[in-house]
Amino acid sequence: LGHALGFAEQLGKAEITPVHLFAGALVTDEGSVFLTRLGLSLDRMKAELATLLREGRAGTEPVRSEEHT
């Protein structure tokens, strides 16, 4: 969560979105090993996330639990 919060703060966002969480997982050893074992390309994911974050398309509005009850 610390990395995700850091990404959100760097971008001036008040909330952490799923994209921030995913980006935070990519910068940890555990997260990158897990995703690599799934057969995902870390370089490609990092490039795509950087584009999303740079363009301000870092996910949709946060989902509130009451919307899914």
Side-chain angles (χ1 to χ4, degrees):
L1 284 174
H3 292 294
L5 177 60
F7 284 121
E9 288 176 341
Q10 287 174 9
L11 296 167
K13 304 296 182 183
E15 296 180 322
I16 297 171
T17 67
V19 173
H20 298 123
L21 291 169
F22 193 70
L26 285 177
V27 299
T28 66
D29 290 336
E30 296 86 1
S32 60
V33 167
F34 174 75
L35 295 169
T36 301
R37 287 183 180 170
L38 291 175
L40 303 173
S41 167
L42 292 180
D43 291 334
R44 183 170 180 205
M45 284 188 291
K46 287 179 182 180
E48 292 291 330
L49 280 171
T51 300
L52 288 173
L53 293 169
R54 185 177 54 252
E55 294 176 357
R57 297 183 295 138
T60 60
E61 291 294 316
V63 175
R64 307 276 189 259
S65 61
E66 62 269 10
E67 293 176 12
H68 294 287
T69 56

